[in-house]
């Protein structure tokens, strides 16, 4: 109806825009309604041909659910069948009522799965006598008045189980049988078949048959008693797999699961069903008892369609044990998979049918519209031709607008990505430049603030300033090269030179550094000389970058080999190390500008490798990388021989290495000093300070500068820092925001701060963050992570020292406040939670004289040392003093507010005797309990 109104509105709107007579309008509307009427006549819903009623005893167990699924699956191929299902919930009276309802509905065929044979027989006979075909499914009735029966032979099921029991027991043993629903045909027939089978073997004795329902465990007590009283029982035959699983649980409780073997019936797929239980070894075997749902529907369709059918449909059974359970499971999985495909195809067919119906309706509507078009005739054609030019122009404009919109979106996306890259670039630039600037300005300010400076301090600080000045010079040089490359102003200045001598000189520049780090540095070549046209300054920078990276990521005692050889018309230079290597994604993006992968970004590495590729490509050569994580990395450079590939202006005749760059080379070769290990100093007055900083020089400077006032411990990564925090529980933490790490889960400064502030053991520790990012959003991010102080680089040493002192003084004020009130109403949420839990645990165990620090730390989930340092940091008292305060507070309350005798008060406050309580109380209050009770309030 909504579609009809929409189309009607559209037609009226179109006719309203064109100047036609009222008569034409009525003709068009009549034609449209005619087409719509044709469409509605063709989409009348299809009526069902037959009604099949199904009455089942219950649908809650897996076997019956599987039966219903099989029936629905078979009915999916017969959409003309209306399938009515009634579930009696295991009640015979209710099933009789439901069958009567189906009879009253005049169903064409009735399928009945009886709950019990005798109560259901009369109503089934009534339906049969009224001419309704009846199919009996699974269990029989006490009458033969039915059209067909579908089900397995329960006697054969019992025989199969009995024969397998003889195989398991080798003809000798005692057996217990657990039946089905008492009085059901399945219970009677299976028992008869089982007894018949084992009676052929005199050595097998049926000790007792227990009554059991699949939904109850009424046999549990009797089975337990039998297993305890008769230890010779070796096998249990359960008439269904659920009963078998419950019997196994009883055997498991008695420790008999290995001795007592269990056989079940049903053999359904799925978790905790027969096939799964056999595969897991819980059951020795299960007898496959088919549901018959599919066969029942096929028989029903044959009856309704007047086709031949069998009156007695015996379903085959088989035994599933360890020899064939795997095959059965695979077959069931395959059937399930195929059924899923069938259902998927069915849904697809439904979708296609809906599409077909929609297209059919559209077709009829189109026919109506065609009639309108014919009636309008030439007049409409004239209007169309008149306005065709305007429509084409409008479509063209719409297309241009769409293209412009797409282009705007594309440019906007590029601009957004470019902005993000720009912001990230500035962030990295700030970090890379501010760290050496901190190591230049901070030592300089430190020297200027001292009245007397020793020659040793002066030389060390100036050396640090010099190294970081050269580091800044190299970074600036790289940024200028990058700017030239982006602007397309990089030009080659090549000359024919001996590549062997050139590479050997560069490797020798790193010799001292290799000796200090005990790295095996070698140039491996079989060439004595090899002339190559190349730009010495640019190739010098490429090899320097590759060797610097190799030294950075190669551990002490490792190897770095430079190989030089000739391949056809190319020279190959390889820089190989056995360092930490790269992950696959890092290897794929090794030469991408600013790519960092799982590690923190390093400007020298990111720009250096990107420039290296740029310089090698200027030589018409190639550079590549091969790396295996934790095994090493090999960079390969290929340079063409001869000068045919060079332009005339690129051949200058002679070039040489930049002397400034050689000097820088020597300085850089000595910059990786070994990180100083934390010095074990006597405890300082201000407390323990942990520094987490990945730059070795800045970390060592802070250790030396702050070591005079604090016990300083230093770590280079966030992971190591976290481990050390849990080990020592420091009083204060200084951390850089951007920390490098080798693992995928490496922690940066913000993540480390967040972990510190959310962990109950460390939430009280103040954190000072050092960063090159001074923007407000970065400060907000650091504060949100939980940082107490946020300092930007380069920082002033005096300011840092005063900040640390002020932070610790504020912490002491909090200690005093916590110590004066055991349940503070403000402050850090984690600290309040910690103190509330601590106080609650003490008060709960106050009456236990043995309750002390060991039990308290165990209950709090902390080590003894962590608990001691946590309480000391929060309250400026040890744990025992805090426990004493609570005992005294409770004792004072009892003495003032109650009339309890001293012995009872002593017990309730955790003392073994009243005498010891009196002595303890007097030591801490200078009064005996009696004196305190008699003294006025406030005295």
């Amino acid at each position: 109806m909504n579609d009809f109104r929409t189309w009607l509105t559209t037609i009226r709107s179109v006719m309203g825009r064109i100047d036609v007579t009222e008569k034409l309008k009525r003709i068009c509307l009549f034609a449209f309604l005619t087409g719509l009427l044709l469409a509605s006549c063709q989409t009348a819903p299809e009526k069902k041909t037959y009604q099949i009623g199904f009455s089942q005893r219950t649908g809650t167990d897996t076997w019956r659910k599987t039966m219903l699924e099989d029936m629905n699956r078979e009915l999916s191929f017969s959409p003309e069948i209306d399938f009515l299902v009634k579930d009696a919930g295991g009640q015979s009276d209710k099933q009789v009522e439901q069958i009567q309802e189906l009879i009253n509905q005049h169903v064409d065929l009735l399928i009945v799965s009886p709950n019990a044979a005798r109560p259901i027989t009369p109503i089934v006979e009534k339906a049969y006598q009224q001419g309704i075909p009846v199919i009996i499914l699974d269990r029989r009735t006490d009458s033969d008045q039915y059209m067909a029966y579908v089900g397995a032979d329960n006697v054969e099921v019992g025989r199969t189980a009995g024969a397998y029991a003889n195989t398991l027991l080798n003809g000798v043993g005692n057996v217990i049988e657990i039946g089905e629903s008492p009085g059901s045909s399945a219970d009677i027939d299976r028992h008869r078949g089982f007894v018949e089978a084992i009676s052929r073997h005199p050595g097998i004795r049926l000790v007792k048959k227990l009554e059991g329902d699949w939904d109850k465990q009424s046999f549990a007590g009797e089975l337990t008693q039998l297993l305890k009283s008769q230890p010779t029982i070796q096998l249990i035959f359960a008439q269904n797999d659920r009963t078998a699983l419950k019997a196994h649980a009883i055997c498991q409780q008695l420790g008999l699961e290995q001795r007592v073997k269990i056989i079940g019936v049903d053999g359904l797929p799925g978790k905790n069903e027969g096939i799964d239980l056999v595969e897991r070894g819980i059951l020795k075997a299960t007898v496959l008892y088919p549901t018959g749902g599919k066969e029942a529907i096929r028989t029903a369709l044959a009856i309704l369609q007047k086709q031949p059918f069998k009156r007695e449909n015996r379903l085959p059974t088989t035994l599933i044990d360890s020899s064939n359970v795997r095959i059965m499971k695979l077959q069931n999985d395959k059937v399930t998979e195929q059924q899923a495909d069938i259902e998927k195809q069915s849904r697809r067919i439904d979708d296609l049918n809906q599409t077909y119906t929609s297209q059919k309706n559209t077709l009829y509507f189109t026919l109506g519209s065609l009639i309108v078009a014919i009636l309008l005739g030439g007049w409409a054609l004239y209007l169309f031709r008149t306005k065709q030019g305007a429509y084409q122009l409008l479509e063209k404009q719409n297309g241009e607008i769409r293209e412009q919109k797409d282009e705007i979106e594309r440019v906007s996306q590029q601009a957004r990505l470019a902005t993000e890259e720009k912001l990230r670039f500035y962030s990295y630039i700030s970090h890379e430049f501010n760290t050496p600037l901190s190591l230049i300005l901070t030592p300089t300010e430190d020297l200027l603030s001292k009245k007397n400076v020793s020659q040793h301090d002066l030389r060390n600080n100036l050396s640090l300033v010099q190294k970081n000045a050269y580091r800044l010079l190299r970074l600036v040089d790289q940024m200028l090269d990058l700017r030239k490359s982006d602007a397309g102003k990089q030009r080659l200045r090549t000359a024919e030179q001996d590549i062997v001598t050139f590479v050997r000189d560069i490797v020798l520049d790193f010799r001292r550094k290799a000796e200090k780090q005990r790295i095996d540095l070698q140039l491996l070549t079989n060439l004595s000389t090899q002339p190559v046209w190349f730009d010495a300054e640019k190739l010098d920078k490429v090899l320097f970058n590759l060797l610097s990276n190799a030294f950075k990521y190669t551990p002490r005692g490792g190897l770095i080999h430079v190989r030089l050889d000739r391949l056809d018309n190319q020279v190959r230079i390889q820089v190989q190390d056995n360092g930490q290597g790269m992950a696959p994604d890092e290897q794929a993006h090794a030469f991408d500008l600013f790519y960092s992968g799982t590690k923190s970004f390093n400007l020298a590495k990111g720009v250096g490798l990107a420039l290296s590729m740029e310089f090698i490509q200027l030589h018409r050569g190639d550079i590549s990388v091969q790396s295996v994580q934790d095994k090493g990395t090999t960079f390969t450079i290929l340079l063409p021989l001869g000068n045919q590939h060079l332009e005339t202006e690129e051949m200058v005749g002679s070039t040489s290495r930049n002397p400034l760059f050689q000097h820088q080379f020597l300085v850089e070769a000595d910059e990786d000093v070994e990180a100083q290990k934390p010095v074990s100093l006597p405890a300082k007055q201000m407390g323990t300070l942990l520094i987490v900083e990945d730059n070795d020089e800045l970390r060592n400077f802070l250790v030396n500068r702050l070591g005079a006032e604090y016990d300083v411990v230093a770590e280079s990564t966030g992971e190591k820092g976290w481990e050390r925090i849990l080990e020592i529980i420091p009083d204060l933490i200084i951390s850089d925001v951007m920390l490098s790490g080798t693992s995928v889960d490496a922690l940066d400064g913000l993540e480390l701060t967040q972990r510190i502030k959310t962990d109950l053991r460390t939430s009280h520790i103040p954190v000072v963050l050092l960063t090159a990012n001074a923007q407000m959003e970065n400060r907000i991010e650091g504060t949100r992570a939980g940082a107490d102080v946020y300092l930007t680089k380069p920082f002033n040493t005096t300011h840092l020292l005063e900040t640390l002192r002020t932070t610790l003084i504020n912490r002491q004020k909090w200690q005093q406040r916590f110590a004066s009130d055991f349940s503070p109403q403000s402050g850090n949420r984690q600290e309040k939670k910690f103190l509330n839990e601590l106080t609650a645990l003490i008060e709960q165990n106050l009456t236990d004289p043995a309750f002390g620090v060991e039990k308290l730390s165990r209950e709090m989930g902390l080590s003894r040392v962590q608990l001691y340092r946590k309480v000391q940091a929060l309250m400026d008292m040890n744990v025992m003093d805090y426990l004493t305060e609570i005992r005294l507070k409770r004792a004072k309350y009892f003495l003032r507010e109650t009339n309890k005798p001293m012995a009872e008060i002593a017990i309730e406050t955790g003392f073994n005797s009243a005498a010891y309580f009196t002595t303890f109380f007097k030591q801490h209050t200078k009064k005996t309990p009696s004196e305190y009770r008699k003294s006025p309030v406030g005295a």
Side-chain angles (χ1 to χ4, degrees):
M1 180 61 77
N2 290 333
D3 290 340
F4 169 72
R5 289 174 178 170
T6 302
W7 280 107
L8 186 60
T9 303
T10 304
I11 291 297
R12 286 175 174 171
S13 175
V14 171
M15 291 191 297
R17 293 194 187 112
I18 58 178
D19 187 16
V20 296
T21 65
E22 185 65 26
K23 186 175 182 180
L24 270 178
K25 288 184 180 181
R26 292 178 179 177
I27 293 173
C28 294
L29 184 59
F30 173 76
F32 167 74
L33 292 175
T34 302
L36 187 63
L37 181 61
L38 288 173
S40 63
C41 291
Q42 295 295 326
T43 57
E46 201 173 28
K47 294 182 67 175
K48 298 291 184 178
T49 305
Y50 300 108
Q51 270 194 337
I52 296 178
F54 174 44
S55 172
Q56 59 177 346
R57 62 183 297 265
T58 182
T60 57
D61 65 291
T62 306
W63 191 88
R64 306 260 169 207
K65 290 179 181 177
T66 305
M67 174 196 292
L68 189 57
E69 289 174 359
D70 291 342
M71 298 174 108
N72 287 323
R73 188 178 301 124
E74 191 65 25
L75 285 169
S76 64
F77 299 103
S78 303
E80 74 279 5
I81 302 296
D82 187 12
F83 192 51
L84 306 176
V85 180
K86 299 288 187 178
D87 187 347
Q91 302 177 23
S92 297
D93 294 341
K94 185 176 182 180
Q95 189 171 22
V96 171
E97 293 176 4
Q98 291 177 345
I99 294 174
Q100 184 61 53
E101 291 176 5
L102 293 173
I103 294 173
N104 295 338
Q105 288 180 262
H106 304 289
V107 294
D108 297 292
L109 186 140
L110 183 61
I111 302 175
V112 178
S113 178
N115 181 57
R118 187 170 300 171
I120 304 301
T121 299
I123 191 66
V124 171
E125 289 178 341
K126 178 180 178 182
Y128 183 76
Q129 291 167 3
Q130 291 184 8
I132 300 176
V134 179
I135 298 176
I136 302 300
L137 179 59
D138 180 27
R139 300 180 177 183
R140 291 184 179 274
T141 62
D142 288 345
S143 170
D144 61 352
Q145 293 190 22
Y146 55 81
M147 187 70 73
Y149 169 77
V150 177
D153 188 347
N154 280 302
V155 176
E156 184 60 29
V157 170
R159 290 192 191 115
T160 303
Y164 192 71
N166 173 61
T167 303
L168 289 176
L169 299 176
N170 293 322
V172 179
N174 293 326
V175 179
I176 294 176
E177 181 182 2
I178 304 175
E180 258 277 2
S181 299
S184 66
S185 60
D187 177 73
I188 296 169
D189 291 345
R190 291 177 186 177
H191 172 68
R192 179 158 58 90
F194 183 72
V195 172
E196 178 184 328
I198 64 173
S199 63
R200 299 171 186 168
H201 309 284
I204 299 178
R205 183 173 69 92
L206 180 61
V207 176
K208 191 170 183 179
K209 178 179 182 294
L210 306 180
E211 292 183 354
D213 272 335
W214 60 268
D215 58 345
K216 299 177 182 177
Q217 200 167 341
S218 56
F219 61 87
E222 192 172 358
L223 178 60
T224 303
Q225 186 62 32
L226 277 173
L227 291 174
K228 287 182 178 180
S229 61
Q230 298 192 36
T232 59
I233 292 173
Q234 298 172 290
L235 185 138
I236 296 174
F237 168 51
Q239 290 192 13
N240 59 65
D241 289 331
R242 285 196 173 188
T243 303
L245 180 59
K246 294 174 182 177
H248 175 266
I250 294 171
C251 293
Q252 196 172 30
Q253 291 174 0
L254 299 176
L256 302 176
E257 67 273 15
Q258 299 297 327
R259 178 169 65 82
V260 178
K261 303 174 179 63
I262 303 176
I263 301 175
V265 176
D266 282 345
L268 294 176
K271 184 174 178 58
N272 287 333
E273 297 298 339
I275 293 177
D276 179 51
L277 297 176
V278 172
E279 186 180 34
R280 289 159 54 192
I282 293 175
L283 303 184
K284 283 295 181 180
T286 181
V287 181
L288 175 63
Y289 187 67
T291 64
K294 176 177 66 176
E295 291 78 4
I297 293 299
R298 288 182 178 177
T299 303
L301 293 176
I303 293 172
L304 292 174
Q305 296 169 3
K306 310 301 183 183
Q307 296 177 356
F309 66 93
K310 292 174 60 178
R311 189 170 190 270
E312 294 293 327
N313 297 272
R314 295 288 186 175
L315 303 178
T317 62
T318 186
L319 183 77
I320 302 174
D321 61 3
S322 58
S323 64
N324 62 354
V325 66
R326 184 62 179 168
I327 296 174
M328 294 295 294
K329 186 173 183 181
L330 291 174
Q331 289 176 344
N332 282 314
D333 291 344
K334 188 64 176 177
V335 169
T336 302
E337 181 181 347
Q338 290 175 347
Q339 178 58 30
D341 291 339
I342 291 172
E343 292 175 356
K344 183 178 179 181
Q345 292 298 329
S346 297
R347 290 193 296 271
R348 178 59 178 164
I349 290 172
D350 292 339
D351 293 341
L352 291 175
N353 286 333
Q354 292 179 1
T355 303
Y356 168 74
T357 302
S358 175
Q359 291 177 347
K360 183 171 63 175
N361 294 337
T362 304
L363 177 61
Y364 289 127
F365 179 78
T366 303
L367 290 175
S369 301
L370 183 60
I371 296 173
V372 174
I374 295 173
L375 293 175
L376 292 175
W379 184 81
L381 180 62
Y382 169 76
L383 285 179
F384 172 75
R385 289 180 176 177
T386 302
K387 297 185 178 181
Q388 187 177 16
Y391 288 151
Q392 290 177 348
L393 179 61
L394 181 61
E395 182 63 27
K396 182 178 179 181
Q397 291 175 346
N398 288 337
E400 292 175 352
I401 291 173
R402 284 194 295 268
E403 291 177 359
Q404 292 174 357
K405 175 177 175 292
D406 294 339
E407 181 65 18
I408 290 172
E409 290 179 351
R410 187 182 64 81
V411 172
S412 175
Q413 178 70 8
Q414 291 179 346
R416 185 181 65 81
L417 294 176
T419 302
E420 291 178 358
E421 289 294 324
K422 184 187 299 183
L423 292 175
R424 187 169 64 137
F425 172 76
Y426 289 147
S427 176
Y428 293 148
I429 287 290
S430 299
H431 182 266
E432 292 293 332
F433 277 77
N434 274 287
T435 298
L437 280 173
S438 297
L439 292 169
I440 293 173
L441 294 175
T442 305
T444 303
E445 293 173 353
D446 193 43
L447 289 175
L448 292 174
S449 65
K450 294 180 179 179
K451 294 182 179 180
N452 298 315
V453 181
S454 65
Q455 287 295 324
H456 177 73
D457 290 343
L458 180 62
R459 184 175 183 81
N460 284 344
N461 286 348
L462 289 179
S463 176
L464 189 61
V465 169
Q466 183 190 39
K467 290 176 184 179
N468 285 278
Y470 274 116
R471 182 179 295 160
L472 279 177
L473 179 62
R474 178 168 171 261
L475 290 175
V476 171
D477 186 53
Q478 285 186 329
M479 296 306 300
L480 291 175
D481 285 338
L482 180 63
R483 179 70 184 96
K484 289 181 181 179
S485 296
D486 288 341
K489 295 182 179 180
Q490 285 284 4
R491 294 290 183 267
L492 282 181
R493 297 175 54 83
T494 65
E496 189 175 29
Q497 303 172 74
D498 182 14
I499 192 71
V500 178
T501 302
F502 181 82
V503 174
R504 182 179 290 111
D505 290 344
I506 295 176
V507 172
L508 288 175
D509 287 341
F510 281 89
R511 179 67 62 188
R512 181 182 175 190
K513 186 172 185 177
E515 291 173 353
K516 292 185 66 175
Q517 297 186 13
R518 299 179 183 175
I519 290 177
D520 178 20
L521 176 65
Q522 296 185 44
L523 172 62
L524 305 176
T525 181
N526 55 2
L527 301 175
S528 58
T529 181
Q530 177 62 58
V532 177
W533 284 83
F534 64 89
D535 186 326
E537 181 178 353
K538 292 180 174 56
L539 189 58
D540 185 296
K541 293 179 179 180
V542 172
L543 293 176
F544 169 75
N545 281 325
L546 297 183
L547 284 170
S548 296
N549 284 333
F551 273 93
K552 182 173 183 178
Y553 296 108
T554 300
R556 292 178 62 86
L559 64 85
I560 300 176
H561 289 171
V562 181
R563 302 178 184 274
L564 177 63
D565 53 12
R566 177 173 176 173
L567 298 175
D568 297 330
N569 293 323
Q570 291 179 317
V571 170
R572 182 175 65 181
I573 306 172
Q574 291 183 308
V575 180
Q576 177 186 7
D577 66 67
N578 65 342
Q580 68 186 45
M582 302 180 185
D585 57 337
E586 292 176 311
Q587 184 176 341
H589 300 277
F591 300 100
D592 292 351
L593 188 61
F594 306 131
Y595 181 79
S596 60
T598 58
K599 303 181 179 65
S600 297
F601 179 79
N602 180 281
L603 182 65
K605 177 185 175 184
V607 176
L609 290 179
L611 282 175
S612 296
M613 172 166 278
E614 180 74 20
F615 290 162
I616 295 301
Q617 289 177 346
L618 282 174
H619 284 82
R620 282 70 164 182
D622 183 58
I623 182 170
S624 60
V625 61
Q626 289 183 339
S627 182
V628 178
Q629 203 160 9
D630 299 325
K631 291 187 178 180
T633 303
T634 300
F635 284 91
T636 301
I637 299 172
L638 296 175
L639 295 175
L641 295 176
N643 59 3
Q644 292 81 7
H645 56 283
L646 299 173
E647 303 291 340
T648 303
E649 59 271 17
E650 293 176 336
M651 295 182 287
V652 298
S654 64
T655 63
S656 60
R657 295 173 66 194
N658 191 331
L660 174 62
F661 200 78
Q662 292 184 31
H663 181 60
Q664 174 186 342
F665 218 125
L666 296 174
V667 173
E668 289 284 344
D670 195 37
E671 75 170 3
D672 284 335
V673 295
E674 182 179 0
Q676 296 181 6
K677 296 181 179 179
V679 182
S680 178
L681 298 173
K684 304 298 189 300
Q685 183 178 0
M686 296 300 291
T688 303
L689 172 65
L690 175 68
I691 299 174
V692 185
E693 169 62 56
D694 59 347
N695 184 281
D696 294 340
E697 292 176 347
L698 181 57
R699 184 175 66 253
N700 293 335
F701 176 81
L702 290 173
V703 169
N704 293 330
R705 185 65 183 83
L706 303 177
E709 298 188 29
Y710 300 90
D711 270 335
V712 180
V713 179
E715 294 294 347
S716 60
T717 66
E719 305 90 64
K720 293 180 180 178
W722 175 246
E723 293 174 1
R724 187 58 67 91
I725 289 169
L726 295 181
E727 177 185 344
I728 65 175
I729 309 295
D731 298 295
L732 194 63
I733 298 171
I734 298 178
S735 175
D736 195 350
V737 171
M738 301 181 70
L739 296 173
S740 61
T742 59
S743 66
V744 176
D745 300 325
L747 294 174
D748 61 21
L750 294 177
E751 293 169 338
L752 177 62
T753 302
Q754 191 171 15
R755 182 175 292 188
I756 292 169
K757 292 301 182 180
T758 55
D759 194 293
L760 192 62
R761 298 167 292 183
T762 58
S763 59
H764 65 282
I765 305 175
V767 178
V768 177
L769 284 180
L770 300 178
T771 180
N773 300 324
Q775 289 81 6
M776 181 54 66
E777 58 267 21
N778 300 118
R779 293 178 176 272
I780 294 173
E781 187 178 6
T783 305
R784 188 175 294 155
D788 296 84
V789 181
Y790 194 89
L791 296 180
T792 58
K793 299 178 184 177
F795 54 86
N796 182 278
T797 309
T798 304
H799 180 217
L800 176 63
L801 285 170
E802 290 301 323
T803 299
L804 297 180
R805 292 191 188 104
T806 302
T807 303
L808 286 179
I809 290 172
N810 291 335
R811 173 57 52 180
Q812 290 172 359
K813 292 179 181 178
W814 275 109
Q815 289 175 346
Q816 295 171 1
R817 178 166 186 178
F818 282 134
S820 62
D821 187 355
F822 297 146
S823 300
Q825 299 302 315
S826 62
N828 185 287
R829 183 181 300 174
Q830 290 289 335
E831 294 169 358
K832 287 172 57 181
K833 179 182 177 183
F834 172 80
L835 285 176
N836 288 335
E837 290 180 0
L838 180 70
T839 306
L841 275 173
I842 293 175
E843 290 179 346
Q844 290 171 8
N845 295 274
L846 202 60
T847 58
D848 183 7
F851 185 75
V853 179
E854 289 293 340
K855 290 185 179 180
L856 183 59
S857 61
R858 187 164 55 250
E859 292 290 334
M860 291 293 293
L862 303 172
S863 70
R864 185 186 181 100
V865 174
Q866 289 173 337
L867 179 63
Y868 173 81
R869 292 184 175 175
K870 180 83 174 180
V871 174
Q872 188 70 33
L874 286 177
M875 306 185 65
D876 198 19
M877 67 171 65
N878 61 44
V879 182
M880 287 306 300
D881 290 342
Y882 186 53
L883 183 59
T884 299
E885 288 289 338
I886 293 179
R887 290 185 187 277
L888 286 173
K889 186 176 181 181
R890 178 66 64 85
K892 289 177 181 179
Y893 171 80
F894 286 142
L895 290 171
R896 290 287 192 190
E897 305 296 333
T898 70
N899 295 321
K900 294 182 179 181
M902 296 302 171
E904 187 176 346
I905 294 176
I907 293 173
E908 292 193 16
T909 52
F911 295 93
N912 291 322
S913 66
Y916 178 54
F917 167 67
T918 301
T919 303
F920 176 86
F921 192 87
K922 186 173 183 180
Q923 286 176 348
H924 288 82
T925 64
K926 308 303 181 183
K927 295 180 180 179
T928 65
S930 300
E931 292 172 346
Y932 182 82
R933 174 174 276 176
K934 295 176 182 178
S935 62
V937 177

